Amino acid sequence: MRPPPLPSLLLLLVLLPSPAMSVAAAGPATWEALRAAAGRRAASPLTQEGAAAGVLRRLLPSHAPSFRFQIDPKGGVCGESSCFKISNVDGSGKDGAEILIQGTTAVELASGLHWYLKYSCGVHISWDKTGGAQLASVPPPGSLPRVKETGVKIERPVPWNYYQNVVTSSYSFVWWDWRRWEKEIDWMALQGINLPLAFTGQEAIWQKVFKSFNVTDSDLDEFFGGPAFLAWARMGNLHAWGGPLSQNWLDQQLALQKKILSRMIELGMVPVLPSFSGNVPVVFRKLFPSASITRLGDWNTVDADPRWCCTYILDPSDALFIDVGQAFIKQQIKEYGDITSIYNCDTFNENTPPTNEPAYISSLGSAIYEAMSRGNKDAVWLMQGWLFYSDAAFWKEPQMKALLHSVPIGKMMVLDLFADVKPIWQMSSQFYGVPYIWCMLHNFGGNIEMYGVLDSISSGPIDARTSHNSTMVGVGMCMEGIEHNPVVFDLMSEMAFRSQKVKVEDWLKTYSYRRYGQSNVKIQKAWGILYHTIYNCTDGIADHNKDYIVEFPDMSPSSFSSQFSKQSISPARKHPRFFLSEISASLPQPHLWYSTKEAVKALELFINAGNDLSKSLTFRYDLVDQTRQALSKLANKVYLDAMNSYQMKDSSGLNFHTKKFLELVVDIDTLLASDDNFLLGPWLESAKSLGMTEDERTQYEWNARTQVTMWYDVTKSEQSKLHDYANKFWSGLLKSYYLPRASKYFARLSRSLQENRSFQLEEWRRDWISYSNEWQSAKDLYPVKATGDALAISRSLFAKYLG
């Protein structure tokens, strides 16, 4: 019997049998919601088994014959749930299989493999750029550990495990080729992700759609953003910045997307595709003069330059909106096949409706969904719930209900995007009955900073799922950038399969063993300290790295006092997420939520354990990252000491602290150069590698350099409003960019004391912006391979600065 269609099953998840019954207690409906989402679109069991075997083959080729994979038929070992089961293979079969893994889809098979490798073989799997996989602890084929006789069965407590943020495609994925994407999809499968965002290549679809509405290629050159800024062009924040897109890029990315989607489907994932949010080229006003098209306001330009400022949005209530929306959905189906029914749309993110009248808001929501459903009758709208927090003054209960209930229950799912810190489900009565996914946001701008809220991750999803009248249907990871803080993502991924809260202290003991491949008392103690400091942020402030090295204050020291105000969270119209804003115009203070003294103790324990672990790539990454963080926090203090010296007109003190600050920048660069994962070179080289002509390579390198520095436009005397939003602690970037900036500033600061005149802020800005423009357009090469002994460098810098 064919499972019922997705929308009706999501309806079952919300229209619960009794007030006290949660989604988790809905029994078969939980599994059916997942199964129905794949439905007729799912790859065959044989294909999925082969896909799971492919994940193993790429991860651990020596053990490919040791595992047997089997898709579990409905009503089999998983019953009506989504699960995996790990069992022993009795006897020595001809194929050499020792372990049988059964599961409902290939994602469950891969998750079962990962669970077995983790908890039977002591394996750790993280991104290559965070140390990669620790596989040395796996016994040789023929001697794999056996599980208990009845096997190990793990069920999903909720059906969905969502992955990605709408800007991750720009901050992390932008320069990826298929080889890197294949590794990521393998990682996703191993982590149990079955609902990934799939935004690559959509500009090629839009090109075909807009051309059918008589938009020309030259019109689209003024519409699409450059490769590193596509996320914000898609959201209607900007247009043409970093562009135009060549036909080579459009064709290349469409071909890549087809490979991505094909592999996701083979693994049993349900891709989330984009839908129409109303963003249209300016020429639409001429082509359709009677259409309701609004020019949006300025989004972070320095002078409202019309070359990239102020995009145009087609009102969802206009009939043309539905025509364009359904054309886009149908074109995706034509290109990719009928592979999904779930579509993302965030029309109201950073775009407040013109009136708070609930009836009007409801009509807009209905129109947006109608555009989807006209293209795909089974469409389900997946919406970010961020707007309910970032614009809470507008989205009160009547407005929230109007939007959430503008489509039939079961036709919408909401991402509680920032649930790890600011859960919306608690203040909205479970999104007023609409299914939602509990998400961890965690990262902004792809910044590199050790940070986490492990207690929230280990308990938040459980609290939400078991709460009264819960409508939670999944967990998710919605970071802006990836490839950092592996401990956070390891734990968060497990929550897709955890029905009880995790005791983090005990979990970290097994984590440290798995991550480094051996037990070490010093490392265990260090992780105990890290848990209670760096990974215990409870101040409610989202972490965006504003350390002075990477986000140097753009202000005159005379404009603030030595009493620096504390930070507070404030929703700001600066970015599709938010900035940390200061209470006053005083010097901003970088986020600090833990005792640096205690964190230094953890670093010392790592260094002391170095002789035993120095060959471990995962250890090397963690050691470099901890040393970097400790020195960066020290540099913040040194900067403040320099500013105090200036205010006290103490030239010798200013010179002393200036020298120390600049020396720290150089030393941190040397430290970062000792690990392949903290280098600027790979970012630039991967950008250039996608170019098929010299012009494309030049354009892509400019995009790559600009995103991690100025980000957006400047004038001769005014920096970008988004400068350093995507800052990175990368060797090469520190010495060639952050160091000259600080040097120029401090040199002028010293001169102002010597000459007894005020600091010439505009002179510094002009000098610095001119340098930055040249750096962004430069083509000098940076190393792509590490140099130096990370342990020796860490020891030396610890003794120099922290001992």
Side-chain angles (χ1 to χ4, degrees), residues 381-454:
W381 180 0
L382 181 72
M383 182 183 74
Q384 291 185 136
W386 176 255
L387 71 169
F388 301 135
Y389 171 71
S390 67
D391 199 3
F394 178 90
W395 294 100
K396 303 296 186 184
E397 181 175 342
Q399 291 75 31
M400 287 183 68
K401 282 183 175 179
L403 179 57
L404 293 171
H405 294 167
S406 63
V407 300
I409 295 292
K411 294 286 189 177
M412 177 186 281
M413 286 193 291
V414 183
L415 299 176
D416 197 353
L417 205 73
F418 200 22
D420 52 327
V421 176
K422 299 290 181 181
I424 300 299
W425 67 267
Q426 291 180 338
M427 47 78 66
S428 65
S429 300
Q430 308 279 349
F431 288 94
Y432 304 110
V434 172
Y436 74 93
I437 294 175
W438 192 101
C439 296
M440 176 190 77
L441 181 48
H442 186 263
N443 176 268
F444 295 84
N447 297 158
I448 296 173
E449 173 140 73
M450 294 177 68
Y451 157 84
V453 195
L454 295 184

Side-chain angles (χ1 to χ4, degrees), residues 53 100 158 177 318 323 345 363 385 434 450 494 532 551 635 672 773:
L100 169 67
V158 284
D177 55 14
D318 195 293
D323 293 339
C345 182
S363 69
V434 172
M450 294 177 68
E494 280 196 16
H532 292 292
E551 188 168 331
L672 298 174
N773 287 338

Side-chain angles (χ1 to χ4, degrees), residues 271-302:
V272 179
L273 292 177
S275 62
F276 182 49
S277 64
N279 188 26
V280 294
V282 62
V283 73
F284 255 51
R285 292 196 304 172
K286 294 180 180 178
L287 294 172
F288 306 99
S290 63
S292 178
I293 298 174
T294 302
R295 184 178 187 265
L296 298 179
D298 178 36
W299 185 86
N300 289 306
T301 68
V302 291

Side-chain angles (χ1 to χ4, degrees), residues 33 66 165 212 224 280 311 318 497 504 531 533 630 691 729 754 794:
S66 301
N165 187 298
S212 72
F224 294 140
V280 294
T311 57
D318 195 293
F497 296 98
V504 178
Y531 167 43
T533 54
F729 269 99
Q754 294 169 5
S794 292

Side-chain angles (χ1 to χ4, degrees), residues 87-129:
S87 308
N88 302 312
V89 175
D90 294 328
S92 54
K94 293 181 180 179
D95 59 359
E98 301 170 71
I99 298 295
L100 169 67
I101 300 177
Q102 298 164 285
T104 45
T105 73
V107 170
E108 277 70 45
L109 297 181
S111 301
L113 169 66
H114 190 193
W115 197 275
Y116 174 80
L117 292 175
K118 264 187 172 184
Y119 293 111
S120 293
C121 302
V123 159
H124 173 75
I125 297 171
S126 66
W127 292 294
D128 285 353
K129 286 186 72 64

